[in-house]
Amino acid sequence: MAGWILLLVVATTLVRCSDVVKDYTPLIYEPSWVYKCVRQEGCQRSSQPHQTTPSNASSSLVFESLDHCRLICGQFGGIWPRPVFMSMGIQTVHIHPNSLRYNLNGVPAEAKELMTEMTKITSDNIRAECGGEVTAEANTSVVVYLTVKSPDLTLTWSTDEEYLLEVQTVGNNIAVLIVGETVYGARHGLESFTQLISSDRANYDDKKKCGLLLVSETKIKDRPAFRHRGFLLDTSRNFIPMDDIKRTIDGLAATKMNVFHWHVTDSHSFPLESIRVPQFTRYGAYSPSEIYSTEEVRQLVSYARARGVRIIIEIDAPAHAGNGWQWGNDYGYGDLAVCVNEKKWRKFCIQPPCGQLNPANQVMYRVLRNLYRDIADMLPKPQLFHMGGDEVFIECWNSSQEIKSYMANKGFAINQEGFMRLWAEFHAKALQIWDEELVASGSKANESVMIWSSDLTMPDRIQKYLNKNRFVIEVWEPEESDVLDQLIDLGYRVVDVPKDVWYLDHGFWGATRYSNWRRMYSHQPRRHSQVLGGEVAMWSEYVDSLALDGRVWPRTAAVGERLWSAGAQPAEAASARLSRLRARLAARGLRPDVLAPEWCAQHDGKCS
């Protein structure tokens, strides 16, 4: 009998415990944080999970998703890079891509095909916010009215990239007005339009549904601070597949950067196909599958142009030229290059493998002519070419009796200044060949070319050898160097690339220092008419396609904003917008590195 009483007591206790659990079991088992936009701070996660929806919340600045909060929080919301002027409401409206239309009546006939391609990219980027498929319905009509003032489709340093963007909402109808001086300005306006949109998964009973939210009232007036906003990718030291290059250009477009500087060859490999000189890839490619065909390059040029990005091909010379050039003797042409793959490399170059073109061999210039013609045919007019020109090692040329005999016959002393004269002669001949091949391809001669800073471009020497009207100097001196300013004072146009700040490979080898995005953001190029802009550089000794995205993004975007948005805004004021950009890049298929622990991303300013 006592046993039955004990069992009854235990059963009653279990029933009562069950009642207690039932009373306190939440309806939603997942954490349901909300995010509040706090003035001067940014988006802040609630102190504890809530079951309150924004419609019942006490503040209109409380949101169920961080992306929604970032969309409208702060003066510039989620726009990257920071625009010149922006006013924005805090209300959003649900939209669907199927109800999005583009009106191109204000676009010149010459620009309509390119503008149409740009609108397709815009729609794809909008759908990417929901993983490519927007499953939540919306009955709002959105019409984007595009106006382009100029029919000019060239993308150069003189291209006007200014744009105006307005979003106006009346009932269930939204009008988006985008006016660009050129088709590329209008493209930037379309990019900003996509950044006024975020995904919405929180406001539906079915959490698998994904909708889109658009800021209902916005006005932006914007233009870049610098004409050259570039990114360099080295594809010689390690081959980077074309799909990875295109994905990188997608990131440049999202950041409104307008130059892809393609360091396509070096002494390590020559992966660029030349129709006229097939020996380059036959002797210089790592494998048959690691070659950029002429047709692939042309497709890349078109791909980049539709994203507002200009392709600049660099053939580094006369140094950094080895594998791909070592076939001369096999064809009876003599040594096209010297010091190629020297075993005692430290005497002949800065890193293995070595190789420098042979300026004493006139056949080398005939081969170079054919290569230049191929490049002129690949690039859109007016073609911009980078001639390389850095890190010539005198010891390499001095080891060749052929070169020393040639110098003696020319009256060049066999000393440093004599080798400088030889180096300058190479660039003069190469420039003449480039001009002649431009004319042969139907372009104008006397266009500007780019060249790296070097011993030849030092302020006490450059005027003797390089014409300031033809050569744009890409200065890769350390940030504290005064070489850039001295070249400006001499009248040369420059592109700023401070290697100790904007080199993405630093911190991964030797005594170099890693630059995080804040350090990269802190460098502001000098505002001067002769400073065309700057570049961030991804040298590939220690990176390939497996690590590319994380090494490049989002740090490159920090440089992108510095080149678009002049001013001394501190990095911390930009961190929330950069977090939103990172999420946007990830949605578009890139794999950007993380900025901080996710807790920091959910509490703006708390980890500074």
Side-chain angles (χ1 to χ4, degrees), residues 318 357-360 365 392 397-398 403-404 406-407 410 412-413 416-429 456 465:
L357 296 185
N358 180 4
Y365 288 108
V392 168
W397 278 346
N398 197 32
I403 291 175
K404 287 188 290 186
Y406 173 83
M407 292 174 66
K410 295 280 292 186
F412 296 172
Q416 183 181 35
E417 201 55 40
F419 282 109
M420 290 297 131
R421 292 179 66 184
L422 181 66
W423 188 352
E425 180 190 80
F426 168 83
H427 284 305
K429 289 184 176 180
L456 194 66
Y465 296 120

Side-chain angles (χ1 to χ4, degrees), residues 135-152:
T135 53
E137 297 180 359
N139 59 1
T140 309
S141 170
V142 182
V143 181
V144 180
Y145 297 91
L146 288 156
T147 299
V148 175
K149 296 182 180 180
S150 171
D152 188 3

Side-chain angles (χ1 to χ4, degrees), residues 228-252:
H228 186 109
R229 307 179 303 281
F231 167 80
L232 176 146
L233 182 62
D234 165 21
T235 61
S236 170
R237 291 171 171 90
N238 278 303
F239 183 85
I240 307 295
M242 190 60 75
D243 285 347
D244 298 286
I245 295 176
K246 288 181 177 179
R247 191 173 63 252
T248 301
I249 289 174
D250 291 341
L252 299 181

Side-chain angles (χ1 to χ4, degrees), residues 152-163:
D152 188 3
L153 301 183
T154 59
L155 183 56
T156 69
W157 285 320
S158 61
T159 297
D160 192 330
E161 299 175 84
E162 184 173 357
Y163 71 92

Side-chain angles (χ1 to χ4, degrees), residues 73-88:
C73 194
Q75 181 181 357
F76 304 107
I79 300 293
W80 191 279
R82 179 170 59 91
V84 173
F85 168 83
M86 180 174 181
S87 65
M88 178 179 62

Side-chain angles (χ1 to χ4, degrees), residues 333-366:
Y333 292 166
D335 289 328
L336 300 175
V338 295
C339 310
V340 177
N341 299 333
E342 281 282 357
K343 291 182 179 179
K344 297 180 179 180
W345 62 268
R346 289 186 183 275
K347 293 175 57 179
F348 303 108
C349 62
I350 197 167
Q351 67 174 215
C354 298
Q356 288 182 185
L357 296 185
N358 180 4
N361 184 348
Q362 300 310 298
V363 178
M364 180 272 292
Y365 288 108
R366 297 209 304 265

